[in-house]
Amino acid sequence: MTVERFEIKSSEAASEDWGAHTHTRVFRTNDDATVTAKGIRDLICAGTGYGGIVAETGGPLLIDGTAEGDPARVRTVGVRLLPEGDKQAEITIALTEYARFAGEHELVRVLSNHVMAPTPVYRSAPIVPTDTWTSGSPSGYYDADVTLWDGSSGSSTLNPVQPASGGVDPTTGVEADNYRPAGDIGGTMIDWNGNPLTIGLTQIDFTVEVVRQGVHTDTAGAMTAGDQTILEDTAGIGTRNQATFAGLAQGTVIYMGCQRVALDAEWYIGKYQFRAREDKHAVQVPRPTFGTRIGAMAYEGDPRSIRQIRGVYWQQPYLRGTDFNDLFTTDEAAQIAIA
């Protein structure tokens, strides 16, 4: 079987979907043997080839063994016999690639939802904790000494003004109405009979979308790793940002999870989901054994009196931290920072 091949059309168009570039190649062949459209298509797609054309769907287009437009991948192969020509066929091959033009930035999209989050608090000033990233033991933890949060003796540095123990000022023998136990966060008491006041804090839920190349077969037929593995994508889930991320301060962002949405057999959109809160996701927790009375008092139990929580501590469920910028390339991270 002898096949002559003529290229009669070559065109390219860029779509709006994440900069995907679509290529169309059209060939005309003349065969000295009787052929069918299905037979030609099977030879092309099975890797055997027809007229020097090999176009396995999902793989590169090979013309006489040379890859065309790599990393373009074959999407569709169409074959039709031409009634006006004896044993002639027209072969149309559509390809898609996500290659970058020279000087083009990588594709990044940041979608966000900004809401008011009702938050119960017992104290004002502070409403936001002052934890900082430390590289102590174990490494990779915020304030690895968890006693900073639980109100134990290790937290006494947060209470430098009030007496270290007991509710009586040792210098006067009088009960201190502003007494705080060791580790208390300080500030102004704003609870009522131990019930917190609900205030509105800013919460930002945002998703960073980037184009990623998945596991694929190269032009030599070898399996090639993608841009990022599943383990690399998931390693930081449930941690806070140990470095500034998306222009947001250290410790304010949690990595909630990620999702991969296929664009084709090789490329996908990586969706990385984050949540940011100005209180660094810490919670004010009372120790109700401590209380102080305020207001007019006519007798014990007078309903005109209220009792406020004396001991309030920060509870931080998310002590681990990672650098979220490591999930992205330098160019992607730069675009995210100004989104």
Side-chain angles (χ1 to χ4, degrees), residues 6 39 48 77 102 131 140 174-175 211 239 259:
F6 308 93
T48 305
V77 177
D131 66 314
V174 177
E175 181 179 10
V211 172
T239 66
Q259 180 184 13

Side-chain angles (χ1 to χ4, degrees), residues 138 249-250 261 298 300:
Q250 177 192 68
V261 178
E300 183 68 26

Side-chain angles (χ1 to χ4, degrees), residues 233-283:
D233 275 345
T234 59
I237 291 177
T239 66
R240 289 189 292 154
N241 58 318
Q242 71 178 51
T244 300
F245 175 68
L248 298 167
Q250 177 192 68
T252 58
V253 186
I254 288 181
Y255 180 19
M256 304 294 289
C258 60
Q259 180 184 13
R260 297 183 176 187
V261 178
L263 288 172
D264 55 29
E266 179 178 352
W267 293 82
Y268 65 90
I269 297 176
K271 298 186 176 185
Y272 298 85
Q273 299 161 359
F274 303 92
R275 173 169 293 172
R277 286 181 61 100
E278 57 183 307
D279 60 4
K280 302 183 180 180
H281 308 271
V283 180

Side-chain angles (χ1 to χ4, degrees), residues 152-234:
S152 64
S153 59
S155 306
S156 59
T157 54
L158 296 181
N159 181 31
V161 177
Q162 309 303 333
S165 62
V168 176
D169 188 331
T171 61
T172 63
V174 177
E175 181 179 10
D177 59 6
N178 62 346
Y179 167 71
R180 309 285 195 275
D184 181 80
I185 66 175
T188 302
M189 298 177 178
I190 57 175
D191 62 303
W192 185 268
N193 278 330
N195 297 309
L197 177 69
T198 298
I199 64 172
L201 296 181
T202 300
Q203 177 175 301
I204 307 172
D205 293 304
F206 64 100
T207 301
V208 177
E209 298 183 356
V210 293
V211 172
R212 291 277 188 260
Q213 186 176 22
V215 177
H216 58 281
T217 303
D218 63 17
T219 55
M223 190 67 70
T224 303
D227 290 337
Q228 204 135 297
T229 67
I230 291 178
L231 289 179
E232 288 173 327
D233 275 345
T234 59

